[in-house]
Amino acid sequence: MVPLLKDMNNSNDAEWHFFKRAPSKAPFYELEDVVKDLSFALEDLERHGQKLPLLVLMDNGSTEEDILALMKVKIYDIEVVVVDHHYPGVVEDGKVAVDEYVDIHVNPYLVGGDSNITAGALAVELAGMINPEVKDRLLHLPGIAAVGDHARSDEAEKYIQIAAEKGYDADDLEKVASSIDFEAFYLRFMNGRGIIDTILGLGNREKHQKLVDALYKELHKRVEWQLKAAMPNLKTQKLENGIIFSVLDVEKYAHKFTFPAPGKTCGYVHDQMVQKYGEEVPIITLAYGPDFGVIRATDAVNESFGFNLNTIISKLMVEIPEAGVDGGGHECAGSLKFVEGLSKEVLQGFAREVLSLEK
Amino acid sequence: MVPLLKDMNNSNDAEWHFFKRAPSKAPFYELEDVVKDLSFALEDLERHGQKLPLLVLMDNGSTEEDILALMKVKIYDIEVVVVDHHYPGVVEDGKVAVDEYVDIHVNPYLVGGDSNITAGALAVELAGMINPEVKDRLLHLPGIAAVGDHARSDEAEKYIQIAAEKGYDADDLEKVASSIDFEAFYLRFMNGRGIIDTILGLGNREKHQKLVDALYKELHKRVEWQLKAAMPNLKTQKLENGIIFSVLDVEKYAHKFTFPAPGKTCGYVHDQMVQKYGEEVPIITLAYGPDFGVIRATDAVNESFGFNLNTIISKLMVEIPEAGVDGGGHECAGSLKFVEGLSKEVLQGFAREVLSLEK
Amino acid sequence: MVPLLKDMNNSNDAEWHFFKRAPSKAPFYELEDVVKDLSFALEDLERHGQKLPLLVLMDNGSTEEDILALMKVKIYDIEVVVVDHHYPGVVEDGKVAVDEYVDIHVNPYLVGGDSNITAGALAVELAGMINPEVKDRLLHLPGIAAVGDHARSDEAEKYIQIAAEKGYDADDLEKVASSIDFEAFYLRFMNGRGIIDTILGLGNREKHQKLVDALYKELHKRVEWQLKAAMPNLKTQKLENGIIFSVLDVEKYAHKFTFPAPGKTCGYVHDQMVQKYGEEVPIITLAYGPDFGVIRATDAVNESFGFNLNTIISKLMVEIPEAGVDGGGHECAGSLKFVEGLSKEVLQGFAREVLSLEK
């Protein structure tokens, strides 16, 4: 799209004026994000006489949590395209709740697919439709997204295959995906266009290799550093139902305000347990802080025990209404929020649910 | 003023170059704010050859806490206008402490008035004097300010009446005032000009209605959500002197880093108690965290018991000098700060003062 | 350099386009800083067709901790000049570890000198070589740096003497150095060019005097305020080995998120002990929070007991590997980091090391 912007506006600066990439932190379109987007859009309109922008939400925007922000955008008659692969709620007549506030909604769930078609794949396919000339240059990106999102499907495999043909083997893809995460941690809300392009392999290939190698080495060092503090303080027990349940106080036994943050730390700790016991074993890992928990579980817990994080959260909301329980995510990976004063009750409630799981 | 800027500079961009709105968080002109203002002013001067700005402090700037920041501004010979309705300290010959650093000081207290004439009302009256053409468009704003600031006076009532004639009934005013608070929470230091204009009803009326309705509905939901966690953990007792005293650990029993923040949460909790027991009843609500407290009290506690938050804070400063007690506000609403290690002593000291109040 | 930029580009705006000052917080070139610098550099290159910048790291950049950030910069072929006076590690053939990633490295240690030649002195000498016309105007700056950095050497004394000839006595230098610290606290990542120039005495002398007086008075008030909370809660004991060891819980017994921050608070508390017992006495002061400690010691502890903070940290790393101990600094001043859950073990370990020191 950016090359088209250049052509159509006959100006080198157009791609900067007319294209803004704004990273978001939350897994949905937050109020913090929408006020920024609206402020800039309205100032560009009033001050520079620009048209209101086309808002494209990538890997975000399909769920009920997005509705308030989208509603605000639509009050100003801004056109909205959502390209997402998160579960958008019940589909009726090809429509979901958020569709009232979205002009174009691209989501595999709307047509019988699922989250294994990543937002990265959707983005590249769309880019190819808009401007076929760029597609070839982007064809390794869906492979990165597939690896980064742990997508498991024939399509995902094919994309990984295509990336391999472009010179990125599975190991490279994993390194690039991790490096993006690592760099995004420091970029926060900066768009970091030049750097992200290098990491994704969209610029100079030699620089790409050097940068990814440097980043990956460093992130590996930091993960090791975090695990060195976390692992000796992880409490693991094999429950009567056969589940291996590990608990970590991530506020006390991990470095704070640094990479990896609590969510990723939980993931890395969980990976250690999976490496130790095997991927087929039912393993649940909970990393908690004063007012939150992060949960990772192997597919085995979901398949054999019917474990679903979202169901447990719904139960806890009812059982301990004064704890302000909130959160969610996928069946086997997500987070839990609660008020600090009720943390014991909530965490014990969660453990009780895990204990009561049956094959 | 903005339309005048446009006319006088014969440029559409003038209103953006020559007018900056910078929201402040603290109830006074903070060092964090003044370094930003000075940095921009000095860069505009040196880089763009602009004149130094006229600094207008709205709803801020009258008190001794503002002096250091103002002193810095005056070192650079920047002209300062203060339009405020906070108590500016003892008035002598129509002057107060801050006047040494202020060129024009508008404050009802300087002429025998009080804080019931809101900064919003002062701003609109001033705007009307500078540019009579705009006043009609702004005439509903003092009503919003009166409701938002809980102003009680004949003037306040008249402003609310004027707003009603413009099509904003009391309920609308309350919704707009709350929506501004809610949106400001997410805007932080962004000026958010377009959005704020819509909320205040200065732009398209239909968009105004839709946006305020959406915001109000959402903020109501969030307040309910906060109260659901807070109310079951509120400890209330009727003291021997008849005062209903409620205490909440707002760090433990409320959602953090979200709207409503601790101060507003205390307000909403207090409102619940007032609804339950009645406005005429002496009620004090204290929400505390590790190193702070927020206090709300009904007028009845002030009128019948002589309760004055500022007096209690002064006492605690002397009684527990190592606690670093600080804070203040109005007689019946304000905050308390202290070092974490002495929180028990300070909170018990506060409770002792409340217990010892007599009719 | 800035006047040269103006001349060579024949444009008043050149000094703003082509010169950026970006304050850094950490004592090394952080990943947070380098992503910002790279983002701006790459955007200026792609968007405005500017050349890649010359990166000059001042008072930073010589140590192994700087390597990752520098490596990233070098991947983009950006030229790097480091002007630093921190210990850069073992020098071999006039080279140190960081030199692989640095084009020009100015550091007294590379030529047999030490940190008593401050970065401020190096900067002024360099500026004089680049543009002899400016040197006279800057000649009081090395004196400020010498006092601010507690430099002790003949050169430092001479610089202080030169400053005196320019009208800045020792007291003035101390005030300016402290005012810079104070103002930097509020400026954070803003460059604050105009204000910093005034404080350093590079602009109007009268404004300089007024601003420094105002800042110094205020910072003094805030230090007093902090000490009032801290000193009554300081636990001091004279150990058997003669060392006076003081410990403060700076999270509980000091005001947070304000000036002076924990590191400086520890310094001011330590200064109180030195004033009380004398500079020749072995005194160690430790201010700790949930996951960090700040340490100050008199030279006497280093000279008579061989105290070296870095050695103790290395020992603790080995003794308590799961505590994630990190940190360091100079022999007698620096910081300590660890995970919250092992704070007791780490702090006790530190105390044990101090106890076991022998003359």
Side-chain angles (χ1 to χ4, degrees):
Chain A
M1 213 158 72
V2 168
L4 289 181
L5 270 179
K6 266 197 234 184
D7 284 1
M8 290 178 64
N9 289 283
N10 197 18
S11 145
N12 256 323
D13 209 32
E15 57 170 314
W16 299 93
H17 270 317
F18 296 141
F19 174 71
K20 279 202 183 92
R21 182 181 169 274
S24 74
K25 288 259 160 223
F28 56 91
Y29 192 30
E30 271 194 310
L31 290 185
E32 278 85 348
D33 294 327
V34 79
V35 288
K36 270 191 245 175
D37 293 343
L38 272 180
S39 286
F40 289 128
L42 295 175
E43 179 162 344
D44 282 345
L45 172 76
E46 285 194 40
R47 179 170 186 178
H48 303 298
Q50 284 187 17
K51 278 193 267 182
L52 284 169
L54 172 70
L55 178 73
V56 183
L57 293 174
M58 295 290 315
D59 205 3
N60 234 346
S62 280
T63 70
E64 290 205 24
E65 278 183 293
D66 299 293
I67 287 181
L68 179 66
L70 288 170
M71 193 192 294
K72 286 178 75 170
V73 165
K74 292 310 294 179
I75 287 171
Y76 289 97
D77 303 320
I78 290 173
E79 278 188 279
V80 178
V81 176
V82 167
V83 181
D84 196 1
H85 70 138
H86 286 93
Y87 177 63
V90 182
V91 183
E92 262 179 67
D93 300 330
K95 290 269 179 194
V96 292
V98 90
D99 281 336
E100 196 182 331
Y101 308 99
V102 169
D103 295 283
I104 296 177
H105 189 180
V106 179
N107 189 317
Y109 282 100
L110 300 177
V111 290
D114 65 19
S115 67
N116 285 306
I117 299 185
T118 63
L122 295 170
V124 170
E125 297 298 346
L126 264 173
M129 291 175 196
I130 294 167
N131 183 5
E133 285 179 30
V134 301
K135 198 175 172 186
D136 185 63
R137 216 165 65 86
L138 306 177
L139 265 177
H140 61 295
L141 298 185
I144 298 170
V147 169
D149 274 1
H150 306 286
R152 286 173 198 185
S153 68
D154 289 349
E155 277 104 342
E157 284 312 315
K158 275 185 211 153
Y159 280 127
I160 290 171
Q161 185 53 41
I162 291 169
E165 286 158 19
K166 294 279 175 183
Y168 298 85
D169 65 22
D171 208 46
D172 293 333
L173 298 178
E174 208 279 309
K175 277 178 163 184
V176 172
S178 300
S179 296
I180 289 283
D181 278 348
F182 185 45
E183 196 70 6
F185 181 85
Y186 296 101
L187 280 169
R188 292 170 189 274
F189 296 103
M190 277 184 289
N191 75 62
R193 207 157 130 181
I195 305 172
I196 294 291
D197 284 357
T198 303
I199 299 176
L200 288 176
L202 298 176
N204 181 302
R205 190 72 178 258
E206 195 193 338
K207 281 188 181 36
H208 161 80
Q209 200 57 54
K210 277 193 200 166
L211 185 55
V212 168
D213 284 347
L215 288 173
Y216 193 72
K217 202 174 137 197
E218 181 67 20
L219 94 85
H220 186 71
K221 225 168 79 188
R222 296 192 180 210
V223 169
E224 287 301 306
W225 175 237
Q226 190 67 296
L227 290 176
K228 209 171 139 189
M231 294 310 291
N233 295 297
L234 185 70
K235 284 172 194 152
T236 300
Q237 53 181 143
K238 189 167 176 177
L239 304 180
E240 279 189 28
N241 54 17
I243 292 171
I244 293 173
F245 185 41
S246 305
V247 174
L248 174 72
D249 184 336
V250 74
E251 181 91 355
K252 286 205 178 151
Y253 300 109
H255 304 274
K256 284 183 285 189
F257 308 118
T258 186
F259 183 92
K264 291 213 172 289
T265 298
C266 180
Y268 285 113
V269 167
H270 180 67
D271 289 349
Q272 294 284 308
M273 303 311 289
V274 172
Q275 260 180 43
K276 186 169 171 187
Y277 294 100
E279 222 174 304
E280 311 309 315
V281 174
I283 302 175
I284 297 178
T285 309
L286 162 69
Y288 67 91
D291 55 2
F292 70 91
V294 190
I295 291 99
R296 292 284 181 281
T298 50
D299 285 346
V301 205
N302 172 242
E303 284 154 17
S304 310
F305 293 84
F307 174 83
N308 185 334
L309 175 61
N310 299 304
T311 317
I312 295 185
I313 289 178
S314 303
K315 273 196 197 176
L316 293 174
M317 281 176 173
V318 177
E319 282 172 23
I320 323 170
E322 74 277 23
V325 173
D326 197 3
H330 301 285
E331 283 92 346
C332 289
S335 64
L336 187 60
K337 286 167 79 179
F338 41 83
V339 300
E340 195 175 321
L342 274 301
S343 69
K344 217 171 124 185
E345 287 77 358
V346 173
L347 295 173
Q348 284 175 346
F350 181 83
R352 216 164 36 235
E353 291 296 327
V354 170
L355 256 170
S356 71
L357 291 172
E358 283 176 33
K359 271 205 188 179
Chain B
M1 211 158 74
V2 167
L4 289 182
L5 271 179
K6 264 197 236 185
D7 283 2
M8 290 178 65
N9 289 283
N10 197 16
S11 145
N12 256 322
D13 211 32
E15 57 169 314
W16 298 92
H17 272 317
F18 295 142
F19 174 71
K20 279 201 184 92
R21 183 181 169 274
S24 75
K25 286 260 161 222
F28 55 92
Y29 193 31
E30 272 195 309
L31 290 185
E32 279 85 348
D33 294 327
V34 78
V35 289
K36 269 191 246 175
D37 293 344
L38 272 180
S39 286
F40 288 127
L42 295 175
E43 179 163 343
D44 282 345
L45 173 77
E46 285 194 40
R47 180 168 185 180
H48 302 298
Q50 285 186 16
K51 278 194 265 180
L52 284 169
L54 172 72
L55 178 72
V56 183
L57 293 175
M58 295 290 316
D59 205 3
N60 233 348
S62 281
T63 70
E64 291 205 23
E65 278 183 294
D66 299 293
I67 287 182
L68 178 67
L70 288 170
M71 193 191 295
K72 287 178 75 171
V73 165
K74 292 311 293 180
I75 287 171
Y76 288 96
D77 303 319
I78 290 173
E79 278 187 279
V80 178
V81 176
V82 166
V83 181
D84 196 0
H85 71 137
H86 287 93
Y87 177 62
V90 181
V91 184
E92 262 179 66
D93 300 331
K95 289 270 178 193
V96 292
V98 90
D99 282 335
E100 195 181 333
Y101 309 97
V102 169
D103 295 283
I104 296 177
H105 189 180
V106 180
N107 188 317
Y109 283 101
L110 299 178
V111 289
D114 65 19
S115 66
N116 285 307
I117 298 185
T118 65
L122 295 170
V124 169
E125 297 299 346
L126 265 173
M129 291 176 197
I130 294 167
N131 183 4
E133 286 178 30
V134 300
K135 198 175 174 187
D136 186 63
R137 215 166 67 85
L138 306 176
L139 265 178
H140 61 296
L141 298 184
I144 299 170
V147 169
D149 275 0
H150 306 286
R152 287 172 198 185
S153 67
D154 288 350
E155 278 105 342
E157 285 311 314
K158 274 184 210 152
Y159 280 127
I160 291 170
Q161 186 52 42
I162 292 169
E165 286 158 21
K166 294 279 176 182
Y168 297 86
D169 65 22
D171 208 44
D172 293 333
L173 298 178
E174 209 278 308
K175 277 178 163 185
V176 172
S178 301
S179 295
I180 289 284
D181 278 348
F182 186 44
E183 197 70 5
F185 181 84
Y186 297 100
L187 280 169
R188 292 171 187 274
F189 295 104
M190 279 184 288
N191 75 62
R193 205 156 132 183
I195 305 172
I196 295 292
D197 284 356
T198 304
I199 300 176
L200 288 177
L202 298 176
N204 180 301
R205 190 74 178 257
E206 194 193 341
K207 282 188 181 34
H208 161 80
Q209 200 57 53
K210 278 193 199 166
L211 185 55
V212 168
D213 285 345
L215 289 172
Y216 192 72
K217 202 174 137 195
E218 182 66 21
L219 93 86
H220 187 71
K221 224 167 80 188
R222 296 193 180 210
V223 169
E224 288 300 307
W225 174 238
Q226 190 68 295
L227 289 176
K228 210 171 138 188
M231 293 310 292
N233 294 297
L234 185 71
K235 285 172 193 152
T236 299
Q237 54 181 145
K238 189 166 177 179
L239 305 180
E240 280 188 26
N241 55 17
I243 293 172
I244 293 174
F245 184 41
S246 305
V247 174
L248 174 73
D249 185 335
V250 74
E251 182 90 355
K252 286 204 178 154
Y253 301 110
H255 304 274
K256 283 184 284 189
F257 307 119
T258 188
F259 182 92
K264 290 212 173 289
T265 299
C266 180
Y268 286 112
V269 167
H270 181 67
D271 290 349
Q272 294 284 309
M273 303 312 288
V274 172
Q275 260 179 43
K276 187 169 168 188
Y277 295 100
E279 223 173 302
E280 311 311 314
V281 173
I283 301 175
I284 297 178
T285 308
L286 162 68
Y288 67 91
D291 55 2
F292 69 90
V294 190
I295 292 99
R296 293 283 181 281
T298 49
D299 286 345
V301 205
N302 173 243
E303 284 155 17
S304 311
F305 294 83
F307 175 82
N308 183 335
L309 175 61
N310 299 305
T311 316
I312 294 185
I313 289 179
S314 303
K315 273 196 197 177
L316 293 173
M317 282 177 172
V318 176
E319 280 172 25
I320 323 170
E322 74 277 23
V325 173
D326 197 3
H330 301 285
E331 283 92 345
C332 289
S335 66
L336 186 60
K337 287 168 77 181
F338 41 83
V339 299
E340 195 175 322
L342 274 302
S343 68
K344 217 171 123 187
E345 287 77 358
V346 173
L347 295 174
Q348 284 174 347
F350 180 83
R352 217 164 35 234
E353 291 297 326
V354 170
L355 256 171
S356 72
L357 291 172
E358 284 176 34
K359 273 205 190 183
Chain C
M1 213 158 71
V2 167
L4 289 182
L5 270 179
K6 264 197 236 186
D7 283 1
M8 291 178 63
N9 289 284
N10 197 16
S11 144
N12 255 323
D13 209 31
E15 57 170 314
W16 299 92
H17 271 317
F18 295 141
F19 174 71
K20 278 201 184 93
R21 183 181 169 275
S24 74
K25 288 258 160 222
F28 55 91
Y29 192 30
E30 272 194 310
L31 291 184
E32 278 85 350
D33 294 328
V34 79
V35 289
K36 268 191 247 175
D37 293 343
L38 272 179
S39 286
F40 289 127
L42 296 175
E43 179 162 344
D44 282 345
L45 172 75
E46 285 194 40
R47 179 168 186 179
H48 303 298
Q50 285 187 15
K51 280 195 265 182
L52 283 169
L54 172 70
L55 178 72
V56 184
L57 293 174
M58 296 290 315
D59 204 5
N60 234 345
S62 280
T63 70
E64 291 205 23
E65 277 183 295
D66 299 294
I67 287 182
L68 178 67
L70 288 170
M71 192 190 296
K72 286 179 75 170
V73 165
K74 291 311 292 180
I75 287 170
Y76 288 96
D77 304 319
I78 289 173
E79 278 188 278
V80 178
V81 176
V82 166
V83 181
D84 196 0
H85 71 137
H86 287 92
Y87 178 63
V90 180
V91 183
E92 262 180 67
D93 301 331
K95 289 269 179 194
V96 292
V98 90
D99 282 336
E100 196 180 330
Y101 308 98
V102 169
D103 295 283
I104 295 176
H105 190 178
V106 180
N107 188 317
Y109 283 100
L110 299 177
V111 291
D114 66 18
S115 67
N116 285 307
I117 299 185
T118 64
L122 295 170
V124 170
E125 297 298 347
L126 265 172
M129 291 175 197
I130 294 167
N131 184 3
E133 285 178 29
V134 300
K135 198 173 173 186
D136 185 64
R137 216 165 66 85
L138 306 176
L139 265 177
H140 61 296
L141 298 185
I144 298 170
V147 169
D149 275 1
H150 306 285
R152 287 173 197 184
S153 68
D154 288 349
E155 278 104 343
E157 284 311 316
K158 274 186 212 152
Y159 280 127
I160 290 172
Q161 186 51 43
I162 292 170
E165 286 158 20
K166 293 279 175 182
Y168 298 85
D169 66 22
D171 207 45
D172 293 333
L173 298 178
E174 209 278 309
K175 276 178 163 184
V176 172
S178 300
S179 295
I180 288 284
D181 278 349
F182 185 45
E183 196 71 5
F185 181 84
Y186 297 101
L187 281 169
R188 292 172 188 274
F189 296 102
M190 277 185 290
N191 76 62
R193 206 157 131 181
I195 305 172
I196 294 292
D197 284 356
T198 303
I199 299 177
L200 288 176
L202 298 176
N204 179 301
R205 191 71 178 258
E206 194 193 341
K207 281 188 180 37
H208 161 80
Q209 201 56 55
K210 277 192 200 166
L211 185 56
V212 169
D213 284 348
L215 289 173
Y216 192 72
K217 201 174 138 196
E218 181 66 20
L219 93 86
H220 187 71
K221 224 167 81 187
R222 295 192 180 212
V223 170
E224 287 301 307
W225 174 237
Q226 190 67 296
L227 289 176
K228 209 171 139 188
M231 293 310 292
N233 294 297
L234 185 71
K235 284 172 193 152
T236 300
Q237 54 182 143
K238 189 168 177 179
L239 305 180
E240 279 190 27
N241 54 17
I243 292 171
I244 293 174
F245 184 42
S246 304
V247 175
L248 174 72
D249 184 337
V250 74
E251 181 91 355
K252 286 205 179 152
Y253 301 110
H255 304 275
K256 283 184 283 189
F257 308 118
T258 187
F259 183 92
K264 290 212 172 289
T265 299
C266 180
Y268 285 113
V269 167
H270 181 66
D271 290 350
Q272 294 284 309
M273 303 312 289
V274 172
Q275 260 181 42
K276 185 170 170 187
Y277 293 101
E279 223 174 302
E280 312 308 316
V281 173
I283 301 175
I284 298 177
T285 308
L286 163 67
Y288 67 91
D291 55 2
F292 70 90
V294 190
I295 292 98
R296 294 282 182 281
T298 50
D299 286 345
V301 204
N302 173 242
E303 284 154 17
S304 311
F305 293 83
F307 175 83
N308 184 335
L309 175 60
N310 299 304
T311 318
I312 294 185
I313 290 178
S314 302
K315 273 197 198 176
L316 294 173
M317 281 176 173
V318 177
E319 281 171 26
I320 324 171
E322 74 276 22
V325 173
D326 198 4
H330 301 286
E331 284 92 346
C332 289
S335 65
L336 186 62
K337 286 168 77 179
F338 41 83
V339 299
E340 193 175 324
L342 273 303
S343 69
K344 217 171 121 184
E345 288 76 358
V346 173
L347 295 173
Q348 284 174 348
F350 181 83
R352 217 165 34 236
E353 291 297 327
V354 170
L355 255 171
S356 72
L357 291 171
E358 282 176 34
K359 273 206 188 180

